Amino acid sequence: MIKIQIINGVNLNLLGEREPAIYGNISFESFFEDLKLQYPSVQLFYFQSNNEAEIIEKIHQSRHCDGLIINGGAFTHTSIAIVDALRTLAVPHIVEVHISNIFNREYFRKKSYIAQACKGSICGLGLDGYRLAVEHILHSKQD
């Protein structure tokens, strides 16, 4: 069975409440339950933390997964430590996801350090970006 770890970073615990014009009004937990129903043959795991060290630990623990989807939140633009942790993985498919279009926002959000350690990035498609990342990982596993 394919295992995919989803990691959300800082402030993403407030999805559904925080800036709904940018991030929508659905909590990630609610979205995640629907995502699991869409992919019953995939083991999907979810972790969120506002603590950089906890995110790094979860990345280290994810080394046996087939894919990893990460939305670092603001850590995307600041954390070389998370990039270094991602680079330690032998996970073949790491996909960066952002709910908003980071290139259409403030200047400081346009730079993603995390992208350097990922196979690809999806941004600006709302929560559907996570589903697209799962699809990519599944199709890449078949190749």
Side-chain angles (χ1 to χ4, degrees), residues 56-142:
I56 291 166
E57 285 299 321
K58 182 51 76 174
I59 290 169
H60 291 170
Q61 294 167 9
S62 301
R63 65 186 175 276
H64 300 296
C65 289
D66 300 294
L68 187 140
I69 299 167
I70 185 162
N71 181 342
F75 290 139
T76 298
H77 320 290
T78 63
S79 182
I80 293 169
I82 290 175
V83 174
D84 286 347
L86 290 169
R87 285 183 173 152
T88 69
L89 295 180
V91 173
H93 306 286
I94 302 173
V95 180
E96 174 186 39
V97 170
H98 294 286
I99 297 165
S100 70
N101 181 348
I102 63 173
F103 302 104
N104 195 24
R105 298 198 52 203
E106 302 91 343
Y107 177 77
F108 65 89
R109 293 189 198 275
K110 296 178 189 327
K111 172 71 174 171
S112 170
Y113 288 103
I114 288 174
Q116 299 172 38
C118 296
K119 184 172 184 181
S121 299
I122 300 169
C123 71
L125 301 178
L127 292 173
D128 199 40
Y130 292 91
R131 183 191 60 77
L132 293 170
V134 169
E135 285 291 327
H136 168 75
I137 292 166
L138 293 177
H139 291 299
S140 295
K141 288 292 295 175
Q142 294 173 359

Side-chain angles (χ1 to χ4, degrees), residues 1-16:
M1 182 173 277
I2 293 175
K3 297 178 185 177
I4 300 174
Q5 175 70 58
I6 298 172
I7 299 175
N8 276 343
V10 66
N11 295 320
L12 291 168
N13 58 306
L14 297 176
L15 287 178

